[in-house]
């Protein structure tokens, strides 16, 4: 384990025979973070950070990883993954200093969790430890999502208070992006039968929420408008879930499309010596429609 290779001072002990490149580089990263946090010789900025102050960076780095994936930028991809990994190592280091857990605990827990959730896979001593081997349970690819959720539900029940049944919505982080959270909430509710019998029921719900929002918009009640518009967005996330679409991906695609077309309008106006601010909406709409037609 990395924790056994790294001394409490952050010094790297001699490498073991046969240590892989991945283990060696991860050892270096854990040692580097220990050094950055060293009270006497560390980095002044890193020494001041807390769990709360660096938490936003994990979200930022995760989105940069996603951006590299979407662009298929294989040069940036490993760099962005490294930035994200650093956030895990950083948080684990802070927790170790506080006496809660270390990076080895993080790695062990996720490994054990994945073993539990993959009973259909036979793991050897390299995963289970010397002299241990488990028999795999035969499972089809179609059955795996259901099996995965059943195992997660069993884990949630284990973590709930004795004698108290865990909520079907337990464990969904409130800090998730709202559309993703809405999709997960709707999916969990559907799993226990709280769902429309067909997709047309979801479509009807979207129209119903739109009508209710229109009423509040007519009344110009901002508090009620916010509430009803939230219901519209939630129903759209439910519709996406029912159609097996990712609402976040749908909205990202729409944002990318708008950005691409808007910049094309800007370029066309610039080529004509025009300024967007000086043109009437009707002309801008004409240019937009031309761009949209070319864009497909």
């Amino acid at each position: 384990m990395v924790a056994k290779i790294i001394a409490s001072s952050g010094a790297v002990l001699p490498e073991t025979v046969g240590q892989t490149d991945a283990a060696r580089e991860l050892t270096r990263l854990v040692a580097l973070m220990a050094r950055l946090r060293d009270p006497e010789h560390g980095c002044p900025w890193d020494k001041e950070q807390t769990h709360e102050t660096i938490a936003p960076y994990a979200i930022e780095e995760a989105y940069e990883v996603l951006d590299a994936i979407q662009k298929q930028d294989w040069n940036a991809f490993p760099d962005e993954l490294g930035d994200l990994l650093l956030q895990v190592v950083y948080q684990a280091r802070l927790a170790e200093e506080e006496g809660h857990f270390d990076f080895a605990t993080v790695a062990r827990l996720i490994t054990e969790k994945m073993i539990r959730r993959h009973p259909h896979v036979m793991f050897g001593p390299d995963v289970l430890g010397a002299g241990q081997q488990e028999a795999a349970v035969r499972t089809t690819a179609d059955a795996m999502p259901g099996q995965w959720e059943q195992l997660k539900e069993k884990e949630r029940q284990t973590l709930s208070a004795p004698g108290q049944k865990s909520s079907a919505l337990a464990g969904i982080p409130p800090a998730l992006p709202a559309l993703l959270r809405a999709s997960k909430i709707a999916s969990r509710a559907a799993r226990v039968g709280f769902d429309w019998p067909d997709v047309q029921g979801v479509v009807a719900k979207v129209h119903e929420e739109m009508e209710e929002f229109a009423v509040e918009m007519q009344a110009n009640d901002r508090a009620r408008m916010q509430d009803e518009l939230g219901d519209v967005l939630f129903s759209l996330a439910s519709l996406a879930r029912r159609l097996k679409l990712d609402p976040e991906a749908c909205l990202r695609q729409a944002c990318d499309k708008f950005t691409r077309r808007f910049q094309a309008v800007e370029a066309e106006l610039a080529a004509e010596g025009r300024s967007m601010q000086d043109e009437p909406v009707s002309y801008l709409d004409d240019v937009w429609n031309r761009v949209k037609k070319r864009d497909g």
Side-chain angles (χ1 to χ4, degrees), residues 266-281:
E266 288 180 317
E268 189 161 323
L269 290 173
E272 297 174 354
R274 298 172 181 265
S275 170
M276 188 174 292
Q277 293 89 337
D278 298 332
E279 299 302 324
V281 174

Side-chain angles (χ1 to χ4, degrees), residues 25-43:
E25 295 303 330
L26 190 53
T27 297
R28 290 181 65 208
L29 179 58
V30 173
L32 176 142
M33 181 50 62
R35 184 65 171 183
L36 291 178
R37 292 281 301 175
D38 184 273
E40 185 176 355
H41 303 292
C43 167

